[in-house]
Amino acid sequence: DSGVTQTPKHLITATGQRVTLRCSPRSGDLSVYWYQQSLDQGLQFLIQYYNGEERAKGNILERFSAQQFPDLHSELNLSSLELGDSALYFCASSVRTGGGTDTQYFGPGTRLTVL
Amino acid sequence: GEDVEQSLFLSVREGDSSVINCTYTDSSSTYLYWYKQEPGAGLQLLTYIFSNMDMKQDQRLTVLLNKKDKHLSLRIADTQTGDSAIYFCAEGSGGGADGLTFGKGTHLIIQP
């Protein structure tokens, strides 16, 4: 158990809908990262927040957004969902701003299925 | 752009050594990581190596880095059935830019 929690574990929804995925980082960790794992694209970095502020952006679509709250939990919002958004979404956390020995610890993931 | 390549499958006999290979293209990569993903689970950090190191050993795991060829390998000694998983190589630039770039993962299959 990495100490990172994600809810829900599974989510099934329809095209065009909007969903929110939630992540609670390890106690004391200030950074939260979101990754998408799909069969064709593999694991891709989406976005990072550090202590409530957006810090780095990866291959995140404009239909997706995230935020980190004062209690440091984070939410990833996915809107106007398409079939291709079906994937496993991972959250990771690290103590500081990331990189080097500031290793990222991953949660168990949320499996999103868009029908 | 950045790219990390791994072979998709590796099959080994139980008790043998497994060697999983990875190549990367970003010469600014500062840290290289190996993560393990078991079915239905998240990613577990196995080990990492700093780019100025050639080798790192941690119990049954040995990481070798050839920075000139941008080649990284993970050797698992005395492979057990519990080692059956997907192994991901990832690179990070260190010092803040902070999302990792992952390979597609190598499925390690253990034969009895």
Side-chain angles (χ1 to χ4, degrees):
Chain A
D1 184 355
S2 66
V4 179
T5 59
Q6 291 186 246
T7 56
K9 194 167 181 176
H10 299 278
L11 198 47
I12 302 173
T13 189
T15 54
Q17 294 299 303
R18 173 190 168 94
V19 297
T20 298
L21 312 183
R22 183 187 167 104
C23 168
S24 292
R26 295 185 320 155
S27 177
D29 284 1
L30 297 178
S31 273
V32 170
Y33 312 76
W34 287 98
Y35 290 84
Q36 178 194 59
Q37 185 179 33
S38 61
L39 280 173
D40 53 345
Q41 298 288 333
L43 255 170
Q44 289 204 309
F45 167 64
L46 296 179
I47 197 164
Q48 179 203 3
Y49 277 79
Y50 172 71
N51 205 20
E53 304 269 332
E54 182 186 304
R55 177 160 175 89
K57 238 176 182 176
N59 298 322
I60 189 165
L61 299 172
E62 284 191 13
R63 299 183 285 109
F64 296 0
S65 65
Q67 54 185 325
Q68 186 179 28
F69 295 85
D71 67 352
L72 300 176
H73 90 272
S74 177
E75 292 180 357
L76 178 67
N77 301 296
L78 315 176
S79 61
S80 302
L81 285 167
E82 301 174 0
L83 295 177
D85 298 327
S86 295
L88 198 49
Y89 290 85
F90 285 109
C91 168
S93 72
S94 70
V95 176
R96 297 181 301 275
T97 56
T101 57
D102 188 23
T103 53
Q104 298 180 27
Y105 293 88
F106 282 73
T110 292
R111 182 167 295 282
L112 173 66
T113 303
V114 182
L115 301 175
Chain B
E2 303 160 2
D3 201 13
V4 178
E5 299 281 344
Q6 300 176 242
S7 53
L8 288 182
F9 294 96
L10 176 67
S11 179
V12 299
R13 289 186 185 278
E14 190 175 357
D16 287 351
S17 291
S18 306
V19 179
I20 303 171
N21 294 301
C22 167
T23 58
Y24 60 97
T25 58
D26 188 354
S27 56
S28 69
S29 296
T30 311
Y31 283 86
L32 295 134
Y33 305 83
W34 285 103
Y35 280 85
K36 175 183 180 182
Q37 185 180 29
E38 294 180 272
L43 282 85
Q44 174 195 351
L45 177 68
L46 288 177
T47 187
Y48 62 88
I49 188 167
F50 186 46
S51 61
N52 70 352
M53 296 169 65
D54 297 324
M55 187 182 91
K56 182 178 180 182
Q57 188 148 7
D58 183 2
Q59 298 183 330
R60 290 192 299 125
L61 305 179
T62 304
V63 179
L64 295 177
L65 175 60
N66 181 329
K67 193 176 179 185
K68 174 175 165 288
D69 294 338
K70 297 191 183 70
H71 181 268
L72 182 74
S73 68
L74 173 70
R75 178 177 179 268
I76 305 172
D78 188 24
T79 309
Q80 303 297 310
T81 54
D83 296 323
S84 181
I86 305 174
Y87 291 81
F88 290 91
C89 170
E91 63 89 18
S93 61
D98 304 321
L100 300 176
T101 300
F102 283 85
K104 291 269 172 94
T106 299
H107 292 244
L108 179 61
I109 301 161
I110 316 300
Q111 297 175 8

